[in-house]
Amino acid sequence: MHSEKQKHDFEPKIIAFVCTWCTYAGADLAGTSRMQYPANVRVLKFPCTGRIDPVFILKAFQQGADGVLVSGCHPGDCHYIAGNFHARRRFAAFRKLLEFIGVDLNRLQFSWVSAAEGGKWVEVVTDLTERVRAMGEMVEFKDLALEEQWSGSLNTPELQEAYDAI
């Protein structure tokens, strides 16, 4: 259940990449428990955080996300044994890349939420939404998308197909 709609000048768009086994179940628990949280989050479910390619995060920003959340099982609780450890290592390196290209790291959050932590899901989503709301709209990657379309570099069907497959 979502919180009462408050009037804000800016409503951020948050994309959440979550694992099926823990965080998605935790979000479902929050909903079935009638906990309230902002309705700004669009959830994309993956089998494991280890399967989330950093390119998905870049594309989410490029397609208009103001903030991104990646959330999975706690370390040691991964359904696939070590997927969350792979994700943790991958995103530690990826954060440095984002910082290098000028993305404010406060727009990206990596968290652990188990299936029994509906309250933690609410807390994570609410904190991220408020933080991104205070930062304002992210326009840097949207401008990059416009430049990309104008460059004509994706005019060949092979490049467009590869890009769309991301």
Side-chain angles (χ1 to χ4, degrees), residues 55-69:
V55 172
F56 298 160
I57 296 170
L58 290 174
K59 193 163 185 174
F61 281 129
Q62 192 177 29
Q63 296 295 320
D66 300 303
V68 173
L69 171 67

Side-chain angles (χ1 to χ4, degrees), residues 14-18 23 41 49 52 57 61 66-72 87 91-92 94-95 98 103-113 120-132 135:
I14 310 290
I15 304 296
F17 297 99
V18 302
T23 302
V41 178
T49 53
I52 300 168
I57 296 170
F61 281 129
D66 300 303
V68 173
L69 171 67
V70 177
S71 185
F91 288 105
F94 182 64
R95 289 177 66 86
L98 284 178
V103 174
D104 190 332
L105 295 180
N106 287 320
R107 293 183 180 276
L108 176 65
Q109 181 167 342
F110 194 94
S111 68
W112 314 115
V113 177
K120 184 175 180 183
W121 167 257
V122 171
E123 181 180 316
V124 166
V125 168
T126 302
D127 290 347
L128 180 60
T129 300
E130 291 304 319
R131 187 172 64 230
V132 172
M135 296 172 69

